[in-house]
C-alpha cells in the first residue's frame, strides 16, 4: 500500500501518476473531505509535479502543507469584544455537543477572569437544563433556567436583562438541537436572535455553530442553513478525539470561510483545544508527527 | 446542494447508445458516476468500492431492455443491488424478546440518540406488543443522563430503574436484571453511555455489562448523518461487543443516508428501525427501497426505469 505506515523501510520514490493521485484523493475522501474538494486539493499539489519522482513521506507532507494552507486563515480563537455583556449564542443539530462545549468554554473564560453567565435555552429536551446545570457547577458559573416547555426566546430576553444588570462580561446561551431542514425550529431560532437584538442591536456578538466530526457531507448543508437563518459567526468541531477526521472542515473553509474557534477532544471540562491547522492536516493525511 | 445521480448520468445517458447488451465500457463509464454519487451520499469508501465491483460484474454483458437506454439499465442494476444489500434477514423491526425478562442492550457513540431511541423502543414494545418494559440508565458519565431517561420514562409511562448514585454500570445492569425478574417485566432495556469505539476502557466496560446481561438484542444506535467514520464504528462495535441490529437516527434530516449502506455492508446485521424525530413516536421500521432512492438522490429515474 502506498499510504500504509512503513517508516522503517528505505525511502522509495515513485512517479506521481494518475494511480497515485487517485490513492491520494481516496485518502482525503475517507476523511470526509468530499469528492470535489479532495480532487481540487490533490490537483493543486500535482501541479508542476506530475511525472516527477516522489516518496510517500514527501507527498503526504505536500498534502498536509496544502491543507494547512487552506485552513490557516480560518484558525481564529473566539474574539472578545470590549462591549459587555458579550452574547454568545450556541446552535447546531441534535447531539452535536453544544451543551458540553458551553461548559468547557465557560470554564476557560472563568479561568481567564471573566464574569460569565449561562442561559439554559434548551427548554425542550428531557433533562437538558439539569445537564447544563452540572456544567455550570463544574465551571463555577451561574445558570439561568426556565421551566421545560417554556419559550426559549423569552428566557433569552430575561437572561439578557440579568446579564446586563449583573455587569457580566459574557452571556452564553444554549439552544435545543435542531435539524436545519426543520423550518419551524429554524424560525424559533431566528426569533431568539430577534429578541436578543431588542436588548442589544449588536447581539449576539458570536453565534457558534457546533459540528460533530462524525458527520459527513451534511455538515455543508448545516453550515449553509444555520448561517442563513442564524447568522453563524464561527464554528466549533467536537469529537475529534475519535476515529473521525473532520475533513469536511476543509470543504467548509473553502466554501464559507467561517473561523474555526475551537475543537472538542473529549468529554471532560478541559477537553477543548484551539484549532491548529498543522496538527489537523497531519492527522487528516495520516502523517506521523 | 448535491448534483443528483440522474443529473450526473444525464450526460452519460446521451453518450451511451442502444446496443442490445451492456458493454464493459458502458458499465465503466456509468459506474464512475455512481461511485461519486455514493461517496457524496456518505457511503464509506471501502464499501462504495466493494459495491461498485459487485455491480460491475452483474452489469457487464447484461441485456438492455428495448425501451430504456444502457445508462438507465445500469442505474436499475445499481438500484436493485442497493436494495438487496440494504435488506436484512427476518421481519423488519422484529426484536428477540421471548423468554422474559429479555434484555436489550443499547450501544453507540456519544450523542447518537441511544437514550431517545431506548425510550422510543420501550414505548413501541409497550403499546404495539403489550409488553411490560423496564428501562435502566447505565450512563454514569454524561451529566443528567439518568434523569433524562427517567423523564422520558414518565412521559411514555414506562418504568425506570430507581437511580442510585455512585453505582457502576455492571452493578446497575445486575440490579436491572434482578428487578426485571422480580417485577415480572417482559423486557428490560439497558441504555449505556456514549463511547468512542477506540476507547479501550469504556469498550471493556460495555463488554462486562454484556457478559452480565447476556442481551437478546444488542442494538447499535448510529447517527444517520454519519460520514466516512461509519466503517470504524460498525467494525469496532461489532467486533468488540457483537451487535444484533442497528437503528439509524436523524433520518428526518436531509442527509443522504449513506451510513445505512456502510452499516449493512460491514456488519451484515439488519437495520431494524430509523429515528425520524425527537418525539417518542418518531420511530419507524427500516424500508430499504426508500433509503436506496435517497442514497442515489434519484427517486425520479427509478420510477422511470421501473415502468420500462
Ligand atoms: N468524545 C467526545 N464526546 C463529546 C465531545 N463533545 C461532546 N461530547 C459528548 O457528546 C454527547 C452530546 O453532547 P451534548 O453537549 O449533550 O450535545 P448537544 O448538542 O447539547 O445535544 P442536544 O442538546 O441534545 O442537541 C455527550 O455524551 C457529550 O459528552 C467531544 O469533543 N468528544
Ligand atoms: N431530529 C432527531 N433528533 C433525534 C433523533 N434521535 C435522537 N435525537 C436527538 O438527538 C440528541 C441526542 O440524543 P440522545 O438520546 O441524548 O443521544 P445519546 O446517544 O443517548 O447521547 P449520549 O448519552 O450523550 O451518548 C437529542 O437532542 C435527541 O432529541 C432523531 O431520530 N431525529
Ligand atoms: Mg444540549
Ligand atoms: Mg444517552
Amino acid at each position: 500500500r502506498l499510504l500504509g505506515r512503513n517508516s522503517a523501510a528505505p525511502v522509495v520514490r515513485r512517479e506521481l501518476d494518475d494511480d497515485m493521485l487517485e490513492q491520494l484523493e481516496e485518502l482525503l475522501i475517507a476523511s470526509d473531505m468530499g469528492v470535489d474538494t479532495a480532487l481540487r486539493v490533490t490537483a493543486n499539489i500535482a501541479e508542476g509535479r506530475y511525472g516527477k519522482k516522489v516518496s510517500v513521506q514527501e507527498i503526504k507532507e505536500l498534502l498536509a502543507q496544502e491543507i494547512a494552507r487552506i485552513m490557516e486563515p480560518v484558525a481564529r480563537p473566539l474574539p472578545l469584544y470590549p462591549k459587555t455583556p458579550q452574547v454568545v449564542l450556541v446552535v447546531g443539530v441534535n447531539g452535536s455537543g453544544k451543551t458540553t462545549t458551553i461548559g468547557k468554554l465557560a470554564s476557560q473564560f472563568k479561568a481567564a477572569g471573566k464574569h460569565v453567565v449561562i442561559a439554559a435555552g434548551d427548554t425542550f429536551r428531557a433533562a437538558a437544563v439539569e445537564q447544563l446545570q452540572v456544567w455550570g457547577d463544574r465551571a463555577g458559573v451561574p445558570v439561568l433556567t426556565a421551566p421545560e416547555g417554556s419559550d426559549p426566546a423569552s428566557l433569552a430576553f430575561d437572561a439578557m436583562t440579568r446579564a446586563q444588570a449583573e455587569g457580566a462580561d459574557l452571556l452564553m446561551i444554549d439552544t435545543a438541537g435542531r435539524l436545519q431542514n426543520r423550518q419551524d425550529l429554524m424560525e424559533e431560532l431566528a426569533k431568539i436572535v430577534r429578541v436578543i437584538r431588542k436588548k442589544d442591536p449588536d447581539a449576539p456578538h458570536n453565534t457558534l455553530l457546533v459540528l460533530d466530526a462524525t458527520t459527513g457531507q451534511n455538515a455543508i448543508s448545516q453550515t449553509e442553513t444555520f448561517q442563513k437563518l442564524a447568522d453563524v459567526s464561527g464554528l466549533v468541531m467536537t469529537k475529534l478525539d475519535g476515529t473521525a477526521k473532520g475533513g469536511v472542515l476543509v470543504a467548509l473553509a473553502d466554501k464559507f470561510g467561517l473561523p474555526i474557534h475551537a475543537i472538542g477532544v473529549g468529554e471532560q471540562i478541559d477537553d477543548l483545544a484551539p484549532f491548529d491547522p498543522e496538527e489537523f492536516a497531519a492527522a487528516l493525511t495520516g502523517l506521523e508527527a | 446542494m448535491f448534483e443528483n445521480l440522474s443529473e450526473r448520468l444525464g450526460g452519460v445517458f446521451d453518450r451511451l447508445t442502444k446496443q442490445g447488451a451492456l458493454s464493459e465500457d458502458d458499465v465503466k463509464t456509468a459506474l464512475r458516476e455512481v461511485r461519486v454519487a455514493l461517496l457524496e451520499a456518505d457511503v464509506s469508501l471501502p464499501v462504495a468500492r466493494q459495491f461498485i465491483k459487485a455491480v460491475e460484474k452483474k452489469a457487464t454483458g447484461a441485456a438492455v431492455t428495448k425501451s430504456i437506454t444502457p445508462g438507465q439499465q445500469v442505474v436499475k442494476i445499481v438500484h436493485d443491488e442497493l436494495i438487496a444489500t440494504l435488506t436484512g434477514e427476518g421481519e423488519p423491526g422484529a426484536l428477540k424478546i421471548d423468554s422474559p425478562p429479555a434484555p436489550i442492550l443499547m450501544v453507540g457513540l456519544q450523542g447518537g440518540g441511544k437514550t431517545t431511541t431506548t425510550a422510543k423502543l420501550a414505548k413501541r414494545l409497550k403499546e404495539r406488543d403489550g409488553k411490560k418494559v423496564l428501562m435502566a440508565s447505565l450512563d454514569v458519565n454524561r451529566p443528567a443522563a439518568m434523569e433524562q431517561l427517567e423523564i422520558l420514562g414518565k412521559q411514555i409511562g414506562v418504568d425506570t430503574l430507581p437511580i442510585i448514585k455512585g453505582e457502576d454500570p455492571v452493578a446497575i445492569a445486575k440490579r436491572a436484571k434482578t428487578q426485571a425478574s422480580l417485577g415480572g417485566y417482559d423486557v428490560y432495556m439497558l441504555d449505556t453511555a456514549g463511547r468512542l469505539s477506540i476507547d479501550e476502557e469504556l469498550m471493556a466496560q460495555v463488554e462486562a455489562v454484556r457478559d452480565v446481561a447476556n442481551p437478546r438484542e444488542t442494538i447499535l444506535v448510529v447517527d444517520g448523518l454519519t460520514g466516512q467514520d461509519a466503517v470504524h464504528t460498525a467494525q469496532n462495535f461489532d467486533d468488540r461487543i457483537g451487535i444484533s441490529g442497528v437503528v439509524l437516527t436523524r433520518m428526518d434530516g436531509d442527509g443522504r443516508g449513506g451510513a445505512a449502506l456502510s452499516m449493512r455492508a460491514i456488519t451484515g446485521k439488519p437495520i431494524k428501525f430509523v429515528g425520524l424525530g425527537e418525539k417518542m413516536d418518531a420511530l419507524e421500521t427500516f424500508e430499504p427501497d426508500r433509503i436506496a432512492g435517497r442514497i442515489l438522490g434519484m427517486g425520479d429515474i427509478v420510477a422511470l426505469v421501473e415502468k420500462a
Side-chain angles (χ1 to χ4, degrees):
Chain A
R1 287 260 317 152
L2 167 68
L3 301 165
R5 327 168 161 236
N6 53 349
S7 45
V11 179
V12 185
R13 287 200 156 69
R14 249 188 58 190
E15 198 175 304
L16 183 59
D17 55 9
D18 285 344
D19 211 37
M20 196 188 230
L21 284 178
E22 196 181 305
Q23 288 185 53
L24 293 172
E25 277 157 31
E26 294 198 332
L27 174 80
L28 300 183
I29 288 169
S31 81
D32 285 317
M33 193 178 286
V35 177
D36 288 348
T37 313
L39 287 175
R40 236 164 325 127
V41 170
T42 41
N44 282 356
I45 66 152
E47 214 183 299
R49 293 193 185 87
Y50 196 83
K52 301 229 166 83
K53 294 220 162 189
V54 286
S55 74
V56 171
Q57 181 71 12
E58 280 162 2
I59 200 79
K60 279 195 184 179
E61 277 168 11
L62 286 168
L63 258 192
Q65 277 166 20
E66 174 65 11
I67 293 163
R69 187 190 64 78
I70 298 170
M71 302 311 284
E72 202 70 56
V74 296
R76 296 206 299 272
L78 186 77
L80 288 176
Y81 303 107
K83 176 116 198 290
T84 58
Q86 178 173 339
V87 181
V88 181
L89 183 68
V90 179
V91 302
V93 300
N94 310 83
S96 63
K98 296 173 291 298
T99 306
T100 307
T101 301
I102 288 186
K104 294 171 179 176
L105 278 172
S107 160
Q108 287 194 357
F109 287 123
K110 167 96 192 212
K114 302 284 177 194
H115 178 170
V116 186
V117 173
I118 298 175
D122 182 355
T123 56
F124 176 78
R125 211 206 64 216
V129 172
E130 289 84 343
Q131 182 189 3
L132 191 57
Q133 271 169 330
V134 172
W135 280 110
D137 288 347
R138 288 179 184 175
V141 164
V143 178
L144 310 179
T145 65
E148 199 177 310
S150 58
D151 179 19
S154 73
L155 172 77
F157 188 84
D158 293 346
M160 286 290 290
T161 312
R162 167 117 176 241
Q164 284 172 342
E166 274 189 23
D169 297 314
L170 278 156
L171 168 64
M172 311 196 61
I173 305 178
D174 192 14
T175 60
R178 67 200 75 228
L179 293 174
Q180 74 277 16
N181 61 335
R182 280 288 301 271
Q183 273 174 19
D184 53 338
L185 298 181
M186 294 308 287
E187 173 49 34
E188 179 192 86
L189 195 57
K191 183 180 164 198
I192 295 175
V193 173
R194 281 199 300 276
V195 165
I196 292 171
R197 286 189 179 148
K198 279 192 192 153
K199 299 288 285 180
D200 178 352
D202 297 331
H205 305 86
N206 311 91
T207 300
L208 299 188
L209 175 64
V210 178
L211 300 168
D212 180 332
T214 57
T215 305
Q217 299 307 299
N218 194 247
I220 296 171
S221 141
Q222 289 175 20
T223 307
E224 193 165 39
T225 310
F226 274 98
Q227 188 180 30
K228 207 181 290 163
L229 281 114
D231 214 356
V232 169
S233 63
L235 308 175
V236 173
M237 179 167 270
T238 62
K239 309 183 195 176
L240 274 170
D241 47 326
T243 38
K245 301 264 198 283
V248 74
L249 279 179
V250 182
L252 294 179
D254 202 36
K255 224 177 153 69
F256 303 98
L258 286 166
I260 303 167
H261 295 316
I263 57 169
V265 291
E267 299 187 75
Q268 305 307 314
I269 200 157
D270 295 327
D271 293 332
L272 190 76
F275 176 72
D276 180 331
E278 266 152 37
E279 249 173 55
F280 173 78
L284 204 148
T285 52
L287 197 67
E288 318 281 304
Chain B
M1 163 114 291
F2 299 104
E3 210 182 346
N4 70 31
L5 186 60
S6 49
E7 283 164 27
R8 282 191 174 286
L9 281 174
V12 179
F13 279 172
D14 296 341
R15 268 178 272 133
L16 305 181
T17 46
K18 299 197 181 204
Q19 291 157 331
L22 292 172
S23 76
E24 209 178 307
D25 276 354
D26 283 351
V27 172
K28 280 224 161 72
T29 314
L31 286 186
R32 251 198 301 276
E33 301 299 330
V34 173
R35 179 177 174 277
V36 173
L38 293 178
L39 292 172
E40 280 182 348
D42 287 326
V43 173
S44 291
L45 183 64
V47 173
R49 214 187 266 143
Q50 189 192 330
F51 181 83
I52 292 292
K53 210 182 270 170
V55 172
E56 193 172 340
K57 241 186 240 149
K58 288 206 175 133
T60 307
V64 178
T65 319
K66 278 221 169 68
S67 52
I68 59 172
T69 68
Q72 288 170 318
Q73 183 73 28
V74 174
V75 168
K76 177 159 171 50
I77 295 169
V78 168
H79 186 251
D80 291 348
E81 182 68 18
L82 254 184
I83 292 181
T85 313
L86 287 168
T87 306
E89 290 81 52
E91 180 100 357
L95 294 170
K96 287 194 238 51
I97 44 165
D98 44 327
S99 62
I104 300 181
L105 180 62
M106 309 291 286
V107 298
L109 299 178
Q110 287 92 347
K114 293 174 295 301
T115 305
T116 308
T117 305
T118 301
K120 285 178 180 177
L121 274 176
K123 182 171 192 279
R124 185 184 161 100
L125 289 171
K126 174 190 159 204
E127 289 173 3
R128 285 196 159 218
D129 307 310
K131 299 292 177 191
K132 190 177 173 197
V133 184
L134 175 71
M135 302 191 292
S137 170
L138 276 54
D139 187 348
V140 297
N141 293 356
R142 170 173 169 173
M146 298 186 158
E147 288 77 3
Q148 184 187 356
L149 189 68
E150 186 177 63
I151 291 170
L152 294 176
K154 286 200 181 110
Q155 278 176 19
I156 59 174
V158 167
D159 293 341
T160 48
L161 189 74
I163 297 171
I164 299 179
K165 294 275 168 197
E167 216 173 25
D168 67 57
V170 170
I172 302 171
K174 282 183 185 156
R175 186 157 59 88
K177 188 178 185 176
T178 311
Q179 175 82 17
S181 309
L182 295 177
Y185 289 91
D186 300 306
V187 177
Y188 67 102
M189 306 191 63
L190 304 176
D191 176 27
T192 61
R195 66 200 74 227
L196 298 171
S197 67
I198 48 166
D199 186 324
E200 185 45 43
E201 195 183 327
L202 289 183
M203 290 304 274
Q205 180 195 71
V206 75
E207 264 178 336
V209 167
R210 175 203 61 197
D211 293 343
V212 164
N214 278 313
R216 294 289 285 141
E217 295 276 3
T218 301
I219 307 286
L220 178 63
V221 180
V222 182
D223 184 345
L225 306 175
T226 304
Q228 295 292 321
D229 194 48
V231 56
H232 299 120
T233 304
Q235 191 90 64
N236 295 348
F237 273 94
D238 197 27
D239 284 356
R240 204 57 205 262
I241 310 163
I243 62 166
S244 61
V246 174
V247 174
L248 279 181
T249 63
R250 281 179 216 132
M251 293 301 279
D252 47 327
D254 59 6
R256 295 269 299 278
L261 187 65
S262 306
M263 285 294 142
R264 275 290 302 157
I266 294 198
T267 66
K269 303 292 164 26
I271 299 172
K272 305 233 173 200
F273 297 96
V274 293
L276 290 168
E278 298 186 71
K279 301 256 169 65
M280 286 298 108
D281 50 10
L283 185 78
E284 286 181 12
T285 50
F286 177 70
E287 287 179 35
D289 51 340
R290 265 163 74 173
I291 305 288
R294 186 163 165 174
I295 289 176
L296 294 176
M298 44 167 290
D300 46 346
I301 282 221
V302 172
L304 195 137
V305 173
E306 227 97 86
K307 265 187 252 141

